[in-house]
Amino acid sequence: MDETPLQTESPGADAPLMPGLDLPETPVDQGYQVLARKYRPDTFEDLIGQDAMVRTLTNAFAAGRIAHAYMLTGVRGVGKTTTARLIARALNYKSDTIDAPHMELAERGEHCDAIARSAHVDVMEMDAASRTGVGDIREILDGVRYAPVSGRYKVYIIDEVHMLSTSAFNALLKTLEEPPEHAKFIFATTEIRKVPVTVLSRCQRFDLKRIDRDVLTDHLERICGLENARVERDGLSLIARAAEGSVRDALSLLDQAIVQGADSDAAVGAAQIRDMLGLADRARVLDLLEHALLARTSDAIHELEALYDAGGDPVVISRDLLEYIHALSRVKAVGSGADLGESAETLACLIALAGPLSLGQLTRFWKIMLTGLDDVRAAPDALAAAEMTLLRLIAAAGLPAPEDAARLLASTPPAPAQSPSDAPAAAPMEAPGKPERHVEAVTAPPSISPSLSPGIAAADPTEPAFLGLASYEDLIRMLQQKRDIALQSDVERFVRPVSFKPPSMTFQPAEDAPSDLAQKLARRLLEWTGERWAILADVDAQGGETWFERRQREKEERRQQALKDPALVEALELFPGATLKRIIEPPAHTEQDAAPVSTENKA
């Protein structure tokens, strides 16, 4: 929330005397009051986006477990100073019916107005950015031992506490460790890491978070209603985005936005807000990203120049591109349900762009733009740096996805090796007697995802068979003919074929498959065919059924088909208790396919 109390009017001449001071308040006409001050939260209920902190404080006050020191941290404009003053009011709350620390501040208490104006004698505020020395802290410590004048507690609010010197922090430690019962400390900082841990350990810490864009947009819309100002919601959303979660920044920008429509009865539109903020049209930035990802280089360069001519800052354009790439990554990872805070049209466009891309590609694009953003910020010519970054993005978009590149490198059969005596123009087929070539078989790591569809992708039937091996079934027959029983058994039980395109093959190893199965098979195929094979065992691929599973399925299908034969059905009815013991296949089938099947029925 913003750091400065939701007050919409100043106390008048009839206001009560300030507690602790017998001086009447003098009404002062302050003229126009900026929105950041006018709509400063006046109660804990007015704080937006800090529900967790308010709930914790409410429970602590109700239970009487009030800490002696609080540390409030967060970025600028989220409500640290405002919260500190609200806590000070809650600690010293006193009304006609309540005389105890109280979080409900809707009914103004005896001390509320003075504390809200930083004019209460028992609530001291100090800006550590301008008073950093140990002498300043000693002034506070000297007064801590004295009882409050009119309030219940003496409250010390130290803003930007991280600016205190080391000696000042050391002077504060002892009092923080054992403070008087009537003293409370509230610290605020934007740099929590600069606060010594010895101080942090003595405080109850609250991290005030940035306000969500939609919540901040709703807040701005409510204030526009109170101000009778007309600003389109899309424009308010742009303000909330530019404020980066800071309510104070958002209200300061809203002040500027409202006057954009002072000479017209029409509502202030998003285009006017965009011009005011100096932002490039995000819809056109999305068009720019689309040109880049589709490798439309000329269109991309022209769009970037047009955005720059329209007043777009190359840094802002680069940051928008980076945000859109992040949005594409979320869409790819989560799907259309990703919470992006974008319009329906923009979301539809992002979904369409993310469709053909992989997460590996998007990660590559993110890294390019992240590095490019730093280049644009540091370059003497920001537009030229933005163009070079865009060209790198276009070049990357034309490359295969990282996972596909890895698969291509793993699966492409290497060229046949040549002995030193081979001439450069030697024929691809080796003559007998050439030195034996090395065997290559690659096992893909689990992190590489398959790019092939489940099941086996056979070789192109229009191409001639490769040394008699045109299909995976041919490979099984070769294993049977070569009588390598151990390898044949492993292949039949553990190989789930994915693709078979000689001289390469990809398969998914079944559970308990030998880790060197791909190497063994590649070595045997080299011996039997005289050619080097690239055998890829990919644990993440979705292969088909193993040869053993296929045989078992076919046998069961034949059995079920046989049980439906009218003659067999009649025979089983004539002989109660009879069972089908075996199926004898016609002689045309091989022994492998004609293995007997027996079942028993003990009914």
Side-chain angles (χ1 to χ4, degrees), residues 122-144:
D122 291 323
V123 178
M124 278 69 70
E125 295 189 26
M126 169 183 160
D127 182 12
S130 57
R131 302 181 65 186
T132 62
V134 65
D136 300 310
I137 290 298
R138 282 177 179 158
E139 288 182 17
I140 293 176
L141 300 181
D142 288 342
V144 165

Side-chain angles (χ1 to χ4, degrees), residues 283-539:
R284 295 185 62 182
V285 174
L286 189 56
D287 292 339
L288 172 62
L289 180 61
E290 183 177 0
H291 292 323
L293 298 185
L294 296 180
R296 299 196 290 253
T297 307
S298 179
D299 292 340
I301 294 297
H302 290 157
E303 186 65 41
L304 178 61
E305 291 175 348
L307 286 169
Y308 181 75
D309 292 340
D313 183 351
V315 174
V316 176
I317 296 171
S318 300
R319 191 171 64 227
D320 284 346
L321 286 171
L322 190 67
E323 289 181 4
Y324 273 135
I325 291 174
H326 175 244
L328 286 173
S329 303
R330 292 191 65 187
V331 168
K332 192 67 180 179
V334 181
S336 58
D339 182 13
L340 303 177
E342 301 286 355
S343 66
E345 295 80 7
T346 301
L347 181 59
C349 184
L350 290 171
I351 293 172
L353 277 178
L357 300 173
S358 70
L359 281 174
Q361 286 176 293
L362 290 167
T363 302
R364 178 195 289 161
F365 299 157
W366 167 267
K367 187 62 177 178
I368 289 172
M369 285 308 307
L370 191 63
T371 304
L373 180 59
D374 290 337
D375 293 344
V376 174
R377 284 170 172 160
D381 186 340
L383 178 60
E387 286 184 355
M388 293 305 298
T389 300
L390 188 64
L391 290 174
R392 289 201 298 270
L393 188 63
I394 294 171
L399 297 174
E403 54 268 35
D404 290 341
R407 184 170 305 287
L408 288 171
L409 291 172
S411 301
T412 302
Q418 292 181 330
S419 64
S421 60
D422 289 334
M429 295 297 295
E430 292 187 358
K434 291 287 183 74
E436 181 179 351
R437 288 165 293 180
H438 294 290
V439 178
E440 286 197 11
V442 183
T443 301
S447 60
I448 299 180
S449 302
S451 59
L452 301 169
S453 58
I456 182 170
D460 188 344
T462 63
E463 297 180 355
F466 186 84
L467 299 174
L469 298 179
S471 65
Y472 181 64
E473 288 75 9
D474 292 338
L475 174 62
I476 295 295
R477 278 192 287 272
M478 176 176 280
L479 289 170
Q480 295 169 355
Q481 293 168 2
K482 295 299 182 179
R483 308 295 294 176
D484 190 334
I485 305 301
L487 181 59
Q488 176 189 343
S489 175
D490 286 343
V491 170
E492 291 182 354
R493 288 187 300 140
F494 300 119
V495 170
R496 299 187 181 279
V498 176
S499 68
F500 188 85
K501 297 179 180 179
S504 66
M505 174 185 170
T506 301
F507 69 93
Q508 176 192 15
E511 189 176 356
D512 299 327
S515 59
D516 59 347
L517 179 55
Q519 285 85 350
K520 287 181 180 178
L521 181 57
R523 190 179 302 115
R524 287 302 187 193
L525 287 174
L526 173 62
E527 295 175 4
W528 297 336
T529 67
E531 285 297 322
R532 181 165 51 184
W533 283 65
I535 308 296
L536 175 65
D538 192 336
V539 296

Side-chain angles (χ1 to χ4, degrees), residues 25-167:
E25 297 177 8
T26 303
V28 178
D29 183 8
Q30 297 180 343
Y32 176 71
Q33 194 173 28
V34 296
L35 298 181
R37 295 188 60 196
K38 185 176 182 180
Y39 293 100
R40 205 167 191 175
D42 194 48
T43 67
F44 285 101
E45 289 75 16
D46 294 332
L47 284 172
I48 61 171
Q50 313 298 344
D51 297 340
M53 178 194 69
V54 173
R55 183 171 56 254
T56 302
L57 286 173
T58 300
N59 293 339
F61 272 62
R65 304 177 68 87
I66 301 174
H68 65 273
Y70 297 96
M71 180 69 69
L72 308 176
T73 179
V75 299
R76 70 190 186 283
V78 293
K80 298 184 296 296
T81 304
T82 296
T83 301
R85 290 173 181 168
L86 290 176
I87 294 175
R89 285 174 56 192
L91 289 169
N92 285 301
Y93 189 79
K94 182 179 181 182
S95 68
D96 294 338
T97 57
I98 301 174
D99 187 8
H102 193 62
M103 289 284 290
E104 298 290 337
L105 303 177
E107 180 185 349
R108 306 295 286 189
E110 180 181 322
H111 306 280
C112 288
D113 289 333
I115 295 176
R117 295 193 313 274
S118 302
H120 196 282
V121 67
D122 291 323
V123 178
M124 278 69 70
E125 295 189 26
M126 169 183 160
D127 182 12
S130 57
R131 302 181 65 186
T132 62
V134 65
D136 300 310
I137 290 298
R138 282 177 179 158
E139 288 182 17
I140 293 176
L141 300 181
D142 288 342
V144 165
R145 56 184 176 216
Y146 299 111
V149 176
S150 63
R152 184 177 299 107
Y153 295 106
K154 296 189 77 168
V155 181
Y156 295 89
I157 299 175
I158 303 180
D159 202 5
E160 301 299 336
V161 68
H162 65 275
M163 300 290 288
L164 290 179
S165 64
T166 302
S167 56

Side-chain angles (χ1 to χ4, degrees), residues 231-255:
V231 182
E232 293 180 357
R233 184 173 176 86
D234 287 347
L236 295 177
S237 182
L238 288 174
I239 292 175
R241 171 175 166 267
E244 297 181 334
S246 168
V247 182
R248 184 177 60 223
D249 288 4
L251 292 177
S252 298
L253 292 172
L254 182 60
D255 254 327

